[in-house]
Amino acid sequence: MKNSEINIKIKRICCIGAGYVGGPTMAVIAKNCPNIRVDVVDINLDKIKNWNSDNYELLPVFEPGLVDIIKNCRGKNLFFSNDIKGIIQKADMIFISVNTPTKTKGFGKGKASDLKWVESSARQVAKYSKDHTIVVEKSTLPVRTAEVIKSILESENNSINGKSKKFDVLSNPEFLSEGTAIRDLENPDRVLIGGDNDYAVQALSSIYQEWVPIDKILHTNVWSSELAKLTSNAFLAQRISSINSISAICEATGADIREVSRAIGSDKRIGSKFLDSGPGFGGSCFKKDILNLVYLAEYFGLPEVADFWEGVVRLNKWHQNRISQLITRKLFGTLADKKIAILGFAFKANTNDTRESAAIQICKDLIEEGAILSIHDPKVKKAQIIKDLHNENKILLNTKWEKFDEIETTFKDADAVVILTEWEEYSNIDWEEMSIMMRKPAWIFDTRSIVDIKKINTKNLNFWQIGNGTLS
Ligand code: UDX
Ligand code: UDX
């Protein structure tokens, strides 16, 4: 590294994209680096208005611990704005944290990521940035996207005061989990920085070193970093599909998935995390990242590899259908005009995010079978459920469901309750009392293993639990 470069300090960071990743990540950087000014910009006017609201209920992202950081840092060294041009002009380092959904049409449709937002962000950086800018890929991207970003940055006719602008592109994937984002960011297992320019790598590393022990900051080349992110998510999702596949065998054979998980998780080589069978994985990343990997494998002529990973997504979809089918079967093969209470719509607890939530597919299947749903979720807003419960012809299914704010009211006259998200409050329900309000024979379907079977009087209630073969 040249001496002249060592002294350059990052004073201003800009993050393009104020979503689930950009918002919390920048909040934690601002908290731990009081001498750096952090600006988060977004094209969405409402989102920025809500990030700036004093009514913290309106913050676009719900994450435990986030409000405290916003209270302490916003207006001091953390700012949210729509002034994309003005903020880029002043930034030393720019994080790209925009969404990268799966392409719905064209080449790579259904698998490849749509990079249009990343591309437009790179073009804005190319146009407005100052002389030397470090660009950091924060969004999860297909392998070799850094190359695309770099060529966009360098292809614009880019000079300032007669001097060519200089860009370094780093990959710094995010490993935060929604619901524990602040904890994951404050105390990460590792921070991964992919890049080949020492100065840029050190500049980013020094930011994390403000609160992350240096031995947890890993440096790799850009491609390894991009691939490591996709692979991490693919491995995690693979564990869930594996355990969900075994839950079906448990139900068929009289075994119990919780006992099987505990037994295999005690093997240190396997480990105990990510072995909870549920309604199928959701969230913005798992499916998308695996499909990206599948696309990559196909592109490089590795069909067996592609098929192996695609199997993880296939199993997940099959598992969700399996749950809606068994609910229908248990309710005498028809759901016509039956009322079903749905507890939980978010893809997991402690988040208001519903992207790829198993609840969406399961609710659609149940409505398709004729059921009327009463839905409860402590954080998901009704407007979001309206968006999610379109059928394929984009016809709103709103007449087929209602959203309730009180758990109790969802139970009234219900034939069945289906627990789809593991919200803490659902584990404290008095099932005996609730069953009085239900139509008999009443059912509980627990896909999250949160109901204590000892607290259920099976004379009043029929009970099904994921992977519990001892019940049938
Ligand atoms: C995530 C991650 O960045 C990505 O790695 C993951 O694969 C899926 O998307 P996330 O923060 O969860 O991003 O997405 P989202 O909450 O949708 O936020 C993205 C934000 O970028 C939105 O607020 C959107 O308005 C903004 N955006 C998008 C821009 O500001 N400019 C654009 O050009 C496009
Ligand atoms: C994931 C990765 O964990 C994170 O590292 C990455 O940065 C983004 O993607 P996230 O999608 O927020 O995070 O949630 P995660 O906790 O991984 O859960 C994903 C899905 O798997 C959820 O639907 C969850 O309910 C399900 N899950 C998780 C299980 O069904 N069983 C488990 O044991 C764990």
Side-chain angles (χ1 to χ4, degrees):
M1 202 186 309
K2 288 188 204 123
N3 279 344
S4 60
E5 290 176 336
I6 291 170
N7 292 328
I8 302 174
K9 272 243 167 244
I10 301 298
K11 294 197 191 76
R12 288 187 71 138
I13 288 177
C14 159
C15 173
I16 307 178
Y20 283 94
V21 171
T25 307
M26 293 303 124
V28 170
I29 291 182
K31 181 192 156 196
N32 288 289
C33 305
N35 297 324
I36 296 179
R37 177 181 164 124
V38 180
D39 288 279
V40 191
V41 296
D42 203 291
I43 45 173
N44 186 323
L45 300 181
D46 282 341
K47 200 170 258 191
I48 291 299
K49 200 167 122 210
N50 288 338
W51 275 114
N52 284 322
S53 171
D54 286 331
N55 176 358
Y56 297 110
E57 284 285 307
L58 293 179
L59 291 184
V61 174
F62 167 75
E63 280 293 341
L66 179 62
V67 169
D68 286 341
I69 304 182
I70 297 291
K71 278 184 191 161
N72 288 328
C73 300
R74 200 179 57 194
K76 287 186 191 140
N77 69 328
L78 176 64
F79 300 87
F80 295 90
S81 119
N82 298 113
D83 179 16
I84 300 176
K85 176 181 170 186
I87 301 290
I88 289 178
Q89 277 171 340
K90 295 185 188 124
D92 307 309
M93 181 177 273
I94 298 175
F95 287 77
I96 298 185
S97 195
V98 295
N99 37 336
T100 50
T102 305
K103 279 180 90 168
T104 52
K105 52 185 179 202
F107 194 59
K109 171 184 165 190
K111 288 187 185 135
S113 277
D114 191 340
L115 296 181
K116 66 178 172 194
W117 308 123
V118 172
E119 189 178 325
S120 71
S121 302
R123 288 190 194 284
Q124 283 171 317
V125 174
K127 197 161 166 193
Y128 303 128
S129 62
K130 55 186 193 183
D131 47 354
H132 182 190
T133 310
I134 298 172
V135 177
V136 184
E137 296 177 345
K138 196 45 128 172
S139 304
T140 308
L141 295 166
V143 180
R144 301 201 84 92
T145 304
E147 216 161 53
V148 176
I149 294 179
K150 193 132 203 270
S151 68
I152 292 171
L153 293 171
E154 285 168 358
S155 65
E156 297 274 327
N157 187 11
N158 249 329
S159 60
I160 195 159
N161 303 329
K163 261 174 61 186
S164 291
K165 292 187 190 175
K166 182 170 167 1
F167 298 100
D168 292 303
V169 182
L170 300 176
S171 159
N172 174 221
E174 194 45 78
F175 294 106
L176 64 82
S177 265
E178 286 176 32
T180 54
I182 301 301
R183 202 178 70 201
D184 297 342
L185 286 160
E186 292 273 19
N187 188 16
D189 286 347
R190 77 309 205 181
V191 168
L192 187 53
I193 301 177
D196 49 19
N197 176 299
D198 278 350
Y199 160 67
V201 170
Q202 284 309 326
L204 181 56
S205 184
S206 68
I207 291 169
Y208 285 109
Q209 280 172 45
E210 292 293 328
W211 78 98
V212 179
I214 196 159
D215 58 327
K216 287 193 173 179
I217 303 177
L218 313 182
H219 298 172
T220 65
N221 74 32
V222 180
W223 328 126
S224 302
S225 168
E226 289 177 337
L227 185 59
K229 168 68 196 202
L230 294 184
T231 310
S232 272
N233 278 346
F235 266 58
L236 291 169
Q238 175 269 121
R239 273 173 83 92
I240 300 168
S241 277
S242 298
I243 205 69
N244 284 340
S245 75
I246 302 299
S247 74
I249 299 189
C250 286
E251 287 162 35
T253 58
D256 184 334
I257 196 66
R258 285 146 292 274
E259 294 180 352
V260 175
S261 292
R262 199 170 69 237
I264 63 168
S266 307
D267 183 329
K268 285 201 189 68
R269 293 168 302 174
I270 295 174
S272 60
K273 302 221 168 99
F274 264 70
L275 286 180
D276 293 329
S277 184
F281 61 75
S284 72
C285 288
F286 281 0
K287 183 172 157 202
K288 179 168 73 69
D289 290 355
I290 293 179
L291 292 178
N292 243 307
L293 209 54
V294 170
Y295 180 69
L296 200 71
E298 281 171 354
Y299 181 82
F300 287 107
L302 301 164
E304 289 76 10
V305 178
D307 190 54
F308 174 77
W309 287 110
E310 199 161 15
V312 173
V313 176
R314 268 199 310 271
L315 194 290
N316 195 51
K317 178 141 181 50
W318 170 82
H319 183 72
Q320 292 173 3
N321 287 339
R322 177 175 97 76
I323 291 172
S324 14
Q325 278 172 18
L326 78 83
I327 293 172
T328 311
R329 263 202 320 276
K330 299 271 188 203
L331 297 181
F332 311 121
T334 174
L335 301 184
D337 297 327
K338 288 186 180 147
K339 192 174 158 194
I340 299 186
I342 300 292
L343 296 189
F345 203 81
F347 80 98
K348 64 178 194 177
N350 295 320
T351 176
N352 58 351
D353 193 350
T354 63
R355 287 177 291 180
E356 298 292 340
S357 176
I360 298 174
Q361 191 53 49
I362 293 173
C363 286
K364 280 183 176 175
D365 288 348
L366 299 178
I367 290 174
E368 194 76 14
E369 287 290 339
I372 313 281
L373 307 183
S374 38
I375 302 174
H376 176 272
D377 189 288
K379 288 290 169 198
V380 178
K381 302 232 158 47
K382 185 174 178 187
Q384 185 58 48
I385 303 179
I386 292 176
K387 278 193 207 148
D388 290 332
L389 290 187
H390 277 112
N391 67 11
E392 246 117 64
N393 306 319
K394 299 267 176 229
I395 297 167
L396 285 177
L397 300 171
N398 292 353
T399 53
K400 295 291 189 176
W401 61 272
E402 257 185 285
K403 164 110 193 320
F404 292 94
D405 292 333
E406 304 297 327
I407 301 177
E408 290 72 25
T409 38
T410 62
F411 284 78
K412 195 166 178 302
D413 300 326
D415 295 276
V417 178
V418 185
I419 302 165
L420 293 177
T421 315
E422 71 284 21
W423 287 103
E424 172 82 34
E425 54 212 275
Y426 299 155
S427 49
N428 302 323
I429 291 173
D430 183 337
W431 295 102
E432 279 304 298
E433 207 180 303
M434 292 302 156
S435 71
I436 298 167
M437 288 189 265
M438 297 175 72
R439 194 165 81 147
K440 304 296 174 316
W443 275 91
I444 300 177
F445 295 91
D446 177 14
T447 71
R448 292 286 190 174
S449 302
I450 60 168
V451 177
D452 181 354
I453 192 163
K454 293 193 278 308
K455 292 192 181 150
I456 291 184
N457 180 346
T458 41
K459 279 199 203 106
N460 300 331
L461 274 170
N462 297 297
F463 184 52
W464 174 91
Q465 192 172 45
I466 192 90
N468 194 338
T470 66
L471 293 171
S472 22

